[in-house]
């Protein structure tokens, strides 16, 4: 029997759109690392200190931190947010690309659950002063703002990942893993 692929229902609510935009950027990361060896994802092919693995670990840490802030769940990492931020760029030997991608998937599920459970996107999210100092001044840190900031961060670093991937083998992340672009 021939089945016609179903067309997904249009996303017309804000939560769905925010999650879609996050997922589009996550797809860019998954594409950027697709088909590469462990050595390639850890390599640093430019003057930058970034590898695909380090950029991926950094954005995972950022998403986990955002979701923890939204849900009010304490995170480990000590009292120094700058040290924690720096540590998120360092990829340990046991943090293989498969391990990082599994953590990326878990972060996505946690974010989706937090957004689904949230009753008010305009609710203020508590950011300690030592974290808020690095954010835009004069902004009320609402759940919506935190999600939009995460989209911005993922998009910025997806661009880095694309350049790193192109430096490795000339492939572009938007055409990998499925042959189409994300949009």
């Amino acid at each position: 029997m021939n089945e016609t692929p179903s067309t997904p229902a249009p996303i017309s609510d804000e939560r769905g759109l925010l999650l879609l935009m996050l997922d589009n950027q996550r797809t860019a990361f998954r594409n950027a690392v697709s088909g590469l060896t462990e050595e390639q994802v850890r390599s640093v092919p430019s003057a930058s200190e970034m590898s695909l693995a380090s950029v991926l670990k950094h954005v995972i840490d950022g998403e986990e931190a955002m979701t923890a802030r939204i849900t009010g769940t304490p995170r480990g990492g000590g009292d120094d947010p700058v040290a924690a931020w720096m540590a998120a760029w360092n990829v340990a030997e046991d943090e293989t690309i498969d391990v990082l991608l599994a953590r990326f998937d878990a972060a996505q599920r946690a974010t989706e659950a937090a957004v689904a459970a949230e009753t008010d996107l305009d609710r203020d999210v508590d950011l300690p002063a030592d974290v808020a100092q690095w954010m835009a001044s004069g902004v009320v840190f609402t759940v919506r703002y935190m999600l939009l900031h995460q989209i911005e961060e993922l998009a910025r670093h997806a661009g880095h990942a694309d350049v790193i991937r192109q430096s490795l083998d000339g492939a572009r992340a938007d055409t990998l893993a499925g042959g189409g672009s994300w949009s």
Side-chain angles (χ1 to χ4, degrees):
M1 166 174 21
N2 286 341
E3 292 187 29
T4 304
S6 63
T7 302
I11 298 172
S12 60
D13 68 307
E14 182 179 15
R15 289 168 200 267
L17 290 171
L18 290 169
L19 291 173
L20 175 66
M21 301 310 316
L22 282 168
D23 194 48
N24 287 345
Q25 299 309 315
R26 290 188 202 101
T27 297
F29 275 94
R30 287 184 187 97
N31 290 353
V33 301
S34 75
L36 296 178
T37 65
E38 194 65 36
E39 181 181 346
Q40 287 172 309
V41 297
R42 289 173 176 269
S43 69
V44 180
S46 69
S48 165
E49 295 179 8
M50 291 186 282
S51 68
L52 286 168
S54 68
V55 174
L56 179 58
K57 182 177 177 184
H58 171 70
V59 298
I60 293 166
D61 185 72
E63 184 163 351
E64 290 171 344
M66 175 208 60
T67 302
R69 297 259 184 240
I70 289 172
T71 61
T73 307
R75 285 183 82 209
D79 295 329
D80 184 351
V82 174
W85 181 84
M86 292 298 293
W89 289 95
N90 299 320
V91 182
E93 283 299 314
D94 63 344
E95 292 177 306
T96 65
I97 192 60
D98 290 338
V99 167
L100 290 172
L101 288 172
R103 189 173 154 204
F104 203 30
D105 291 343
Q108 177 178 355
R109 288 189 302 274
T111 297
E112 289 171 351
V115 171
E118 182 57 51
T119 59
D120 182 9
L121 294 177
D122 289 321
R123 179 179 60 81
D124 289 353
V125 175
D126 179 50
L127 287 183
D130 59 354
V131 173
Q133 72 177 334
W134 304 105
M135 306 294 272
S137 62
V139 173
V140 177
F141 303 114
T142 63
V143 173
R144 178 181 291 103
Y145 174 85
M146 299 300 286
L147 291 166
L148 290 168
H149 177 70
Q150 189 61 31
I151 292 166
E152 174 187 39
E153 283 293 301
L154 278 168
R156 173 182 297 114
H157 293 307
H160 295 137
D162 191 41
V163 169
I164 295 168
R165 176 61 190 251
Q166 287 181 49
S167 297
L168 288 170
D169 64 3
R172 288 190 0 244
D174 67 331
T175 59
L176 292 164
S181 68
W182 61 88
S183 58

